[in-house]
Amino acid sequence: MVSKEKSSGEPVAAAFLKPERGHPVTLREVAEAAGVSTATVSLVVNNKKDARISVQTRKRVRDAIKDLGYRPNAMAKTLVSGSSRFIGLVADAIATTPFAGQIIHGAQDEAWRHGYALLIANTEGNGDLEKDAISMMLEYKVRGILYSTWFHRPTEIPESLREADFVLVNCFSTEPGTRAVVPDEAQGGRSATEILLRHGHRRIAFINATIPAPAKDGRLEGYKEALEAAGIPLDPELVMEAYPDQEGGYEATPELLKRDVTAVYCYNDRMAMGLYDGLRDHGLSIPDDMAVVGFDNQEVIAAHLRPPLSTVSLPHYELGAAGVRMLLGLEEAPSNTAVKINCPTVERTSVRVQAPA
Amino acid sequence: MVSKEKSSGEPVAAAFLKPERGHPVTLREVAEAAGVSTATVSLVVNNKKDARISVQTRKRVRDAIKDLGYRPNAMAKTLVSGSSRFIGLVADAIATTPFAGQIIHGAQDEAWRHGYALLIANTEGNGDLEKDAISMMLEYKVRGILYSTWFHRPTEIPESLREADFVLVNCFSTEPGTRAVVPDEAQGGRSATEILLRHGHRRIAFINATIPAPAKDGRLEGYKEALEAAGIPLDPELVMEAYPDQEGGYEATPELLKRDVTAVYCYNDRMAMGLYDGLRDHGLSIPDDMAVVGFDNQEVIAAHLRPPLSTVSLPHYELGAAGVRMLLGLEEAPSNTAVKINCPTVERTSVRVQAPA
């Protein structure tokens, strides 16, 4: 197959041969530069070990590829191999919350580790967009799809999703056999309450959300478990409810102050941010007059309140990474329940040791 | 080519024929169901108008495709057509800022409108990841690449990016001929200052960032332009600097209070959030004792401060959308400068009318 000689590898020649932008190097150009057939280049590119090509010829082809800056067509490769190296990720709120970004980050790192690229679609909760996104992914023959939601919730499984291998991320289905990965809300609620218990607090209020959600149930369950483990009887008066944002936290302040507590655990950081303002308006300081713990470790807020807020972190990065591992069969997925991921504690300075009464 | 008859289109048959998950319908199955050759199915799928196929046969193939739920292989189609329907988007901070999500949202909406899917890579500023991401996109033969940064800044052009058709989004290069789209910082600064002027304020401080950036220069320029247009001489004493986060805004408060101003425009919303706390600690209320305007319209913060913050919005959605239009040649891209996108005003209640002194 060797028909002509060509020197290669000199930097000057390489620079001279580099393609102009917008004119990708073709297989044919590589073949001409290496003095071989396009079939030979193809065999070298696809790493067919059993093809009878001499070491010298392989080297000449590889040098030509390097000099010319040839990039094999990944889509042609996946057609040959019969499956693509894409994993699809459907997200419902990339643009409106900071949480989806962490799921993407974790999923991408894990996907790349195993040689897959992420094909991401942002639906902003629009059903038609979602349908189009899943169709597109199926047409690109993705290895599978991660279907994710920005807040932890039960979900219907879209019909078209069933055509793919899929894992639910930050959401779950009651259908048996559905793989899903979600945050461990109860453990998170327990950890949040334990921060306060560890600092000597005994009368601890919990301001839960008004909106039904797995987080509402789980975070309350964790609060109860932590109190019970510490031998403190549950006082139902200390469990309050508010809308889970800054305004809700602010407006809950007067009710909270009637409860005679030294500490409060808020359903989320946004609520804690509003409560900070409410307590200040009542002339109270954190942590001296009231210890405050949040939930979410929300970017932009938690670390920058005055004082910085102790909280537990939602494990979005880990949810994305675990979703990819489950999809690729690298991590076991129980068939009857969602896998729960730990919510780690992040301690700052909104809690201090409480002197015994 | 017609060899056998087959009824199709009845819902019952369609349901019966729907594929099990994990077993995608093949071209051959469509051909068998329609009683035609695979070549005929392929011609119909690829919409070859000039192929001599009867209307009845076309209909039969289309019905079989619908009944079986066949999805053509998009990658095979792009190989045939010679270019892919992907646009790459490289983002440096999907996980750590809420801004990248808006760029993605705008780019995706615009890409889909023109029949392209987005291939997104999150690099979190890691050079090796960025190189890998661009290589991957080139191997998938993307139509072009949007190279985006989470804050507006000058950028080097990565070598591998030059192999693609590309547009810089939220960043720019001094190299002539580089297409780029960025926010109009000067207009944004002018708009922020004009909110205060329109409410009767005359002594307006500007707390700029300590960190050099196009935003720092542009937002100051806008402040100066607005004052000049209003016939107010610039008092250099009223231009201060602080670190652009909550802590910076808080710590700037005592200096601000020495300036005898009725209003302040902050470099960003995070700084304004810290200033809110600082003013409160001095017993001052917003907007009665001090009018405050921010910049960024930062999700989670701006609308939820007490009082809600008047600000100008960074046009991330529009940056992403305009980037796609420029890449596809649908919007003119001047060769000697970046296209500037308007930063819209968002008025809330942190400013009120100032009685004349």
Side-chain angles (χ1 to χ4, degrees), chain A residues 21 71 74-75 79 95 102 105 108 122 138-140 162-163 246-247 250 270 280 300-301 304, chain B residues 21 71 74-75 79 95 102 105 108 122 138-141 162-163 246-247 270 300-301 304:
Chain A
R21 190 173 106 192
R71 293 183 185 276
M75 287 196 282
L79 275 180
Q102 291 282 356
H105 190 22
Q108 179 181 291
N122 171 47
L138 291 169
E139 285 170 19
Y140 279 104
R162 296 175 194 273
E163 292 182 46
Q246 286 92 331
E247 291 77 357
Y250 182 83
R270 297 178 64 165
R280 239 184 315 241
V300 187
I301 291 183
H304 299 283
Chain B
R21 188 173 109 192
R71 294 182 184 278
M75 287 196 282
L79 276 180
Q102 292 282 355
H105 191 23
Q108 179 181 293
N122 170 46
L138 291 170
E139 284 170 18
Y140 279 104
K141 308 294 174 198
R162 296 177 194 272
E163 291 181 45
Q246 286 91 331
E247 290 78 355
R270 298 179 62 164
V300 187
I301 292 183
H304 299 283

Side-chain angles (χ1 to χ4, degrees), chain A residues 93-112:
Chain A
I94 288 181
T96 48
T97 80
F99 297 134
Q102 291 282 356
I103 293 176
I104 292 171
H105 190 22
Q108 179 181 291
D109 282 0
E110 193 67 26
W112 286 21

